Amino acid sequence: MMLIDTHVHLQHPEYGNELHAILARAAIAGVEKMVVAGYDLPSSREAVKIAEEVEACYATVGIHPHAAKDVSREMMEELERLASSSRVAAVGETGLDYHYMHSSKAAQLASLEAHLELCERQGKPIIIHDREAHDDMLTALEGFPVNRLGGVWHCFSGDLLLAEKIMAKGWYLGIGGIVTFSKELAEIVRQLPLERIVLETDAPYLAPVPYRGRRNEPAWTATIATRVAEIKGTDAETIAEVTSANAAALFRI
Ligand SMILES: [Zn+2]
């Protein structure tokens, strides 16, 4: 099996010094590539460092909408320097999170806009975090010609109508552990074309069944692939093949 985990936070402090053990388990599970997503400046630096040291890993750089209020011009300048590395596959995660509102709407929108401009300048795709902000998210994207660069709606949590709007851009939907315990998401996945799905763990968060409540890790991309295969009425091998080809095309990895 050849899987790609398109969204994992291997630089997260929860992993301590266990990175090598985690990478070894991922390899055994058939996870050949991982996209290590940045969520603030230090974690973006760390993601690039891991991607430079580990061939199977690629980085993304970005500031999570929770931290949007702290975004400064200097921060975006450093992100841009990091983003120019050939080991950086995308910009993000960025977006809007109206669930927690750790930053104001205005701050989140301004940060998102700065990230979109970074995508344009660097010619790289975007990783979108959207929680309870679907309409503002779509509106914010309208103003930018980012469609040709591609993007992924990480941890997709919308309905079919939103999925259709995202797919109309030629973008992908990131499907993770939630699909192993949410009937609603399973039903949406059943109706989506496999050609628009990429798999992600979002580890250390959102561990799939039967590991719920535990620290998630990239090896469990295989568990998600097995569940998607059940939903789609096919085998995990096919799911791995198609979703990995999707991820490879999106991130050019
Ligand atoms: Zn994430």
Side-chain angles (χ1 to χ4, degrees):
M1 195 138 58
M2 196 300 219
L3 290 158
I4 300 180
D5 183 352
T6 62
H7 195 108
V8 56
H9 302 293
L10 288 176
Q11 74 281 57
H12 197 280
E14 282 226 21
Y15 292 123
N17 55 8
E18 293 172 61
L19 184 60
H20 286 283
I22 286 158
L23 291 171
R25 288 197 289 273
I28 289 166
V31 181
E32 290 195 0
K33 292 176 186 169
M34 285 149 277
V35 179
V36 182
Y39 45 90
D40 58 14
L41 193 49
S43 67
S44 295
R45 288 188 197 118
E46 277 300 305
V48 175
K49 201 167 151 246
I50 291 172
E52 280 167 354
E53 286 166 4
V54 182
E55 213 193 324
C57 293
Y58 297 83
T60 81
V61 298
I63 313 292
H64 195 283
H66 288 340
K69 61 179 181 303
D70 304 322
V71 170
S72 63
R73 177 192 292 265
E74 293 70 31
M75 214 183 250
M76 290 310 297
E77 281 169 2
E78 185 174 348
L79 273 194
E80 177 129 30
R81 281 194 293 278
L82 291 168
S84 67
S85 161
S86 63
R87 301 298 294 167
V88 172
V91 172
E93 58 185 290
T94 178
L96 303 171
D97 192 314
Y98 293 173
H99 181 76
Y100 289 107
M101 290 301 277
H102 290 323
S103 293
S104 70
K105 284 189 186 186
Q108 293 188 41
L109 283 161
S111 172
L112 170 63
E113 201 165 302
H115 282 77
L116 289 168
E117 286 165 1
L118 182 55
C119 277
E120 277 295 291
R121 285 197 301 273
Q122 292 293 325
K124 293 189 177 175
I126 194 151
I127 296 182
I128 293 293
H129 171 108
D130 158 34
R131 187 148 181 211
E132 296 173 20
H134 306 328
D135 291 343
D136 280 9
M137 194 66 236
L138 288 168
T139 307
L141 291 173
E142 267 167 24
F144 284 87
V146 290
N147 286 11
R148 66 184 163 76
L149 301 173
V152 55
W153 220 268
H154 142 67
C155 196
F156 179 74
S157 66
D159 56 14
L160 262 187
L161 188 65
L162 177 63
E164 273 158 19
K165 287 177 182 165
I166 295 165
M167 292 189 294
K169 294 178 184 296
W171 286 23
Y172 296 88
L173 304 162
I175 301 297
I178 296 174
V179 78
T180 65
F181 52 83
S182 161
K183 284 201 175 72
E184 289 80 5
L185 185 59
E187 180 50 30
I188 287 167
V189 166
R190 194 181 65 77
Q191 297 178 66
L192 293 177
L194 195 51
E195 288 65 33
R196 298 257 67 91
I197 293 176
V198 294
L199 302 182
E200 59 171 54
T201 58
D202 204 16
Y205 310 109
L206 290 175
V209 171
Y211 309 113
R212 272 194 94 180
R214 288 175 58 186
R215 183 188 69 184
N216 198 1
E217 60 175 77
W220 297 340
T221 310
T223 312
I224 297 162
T226 301
R227 178 66 188 127
V228 172
E230 266 169 30
I231 294 165
K232 291 294 205 186
T234 182
D235 53 291
E237 193 65 47
T238 304
I239 300 298
E241 199 176 300
V242 178
T243 59
S244 295
N246 296 343
L250 168 64
F251 294 120
R252 296 172 217 132
I253 58 175

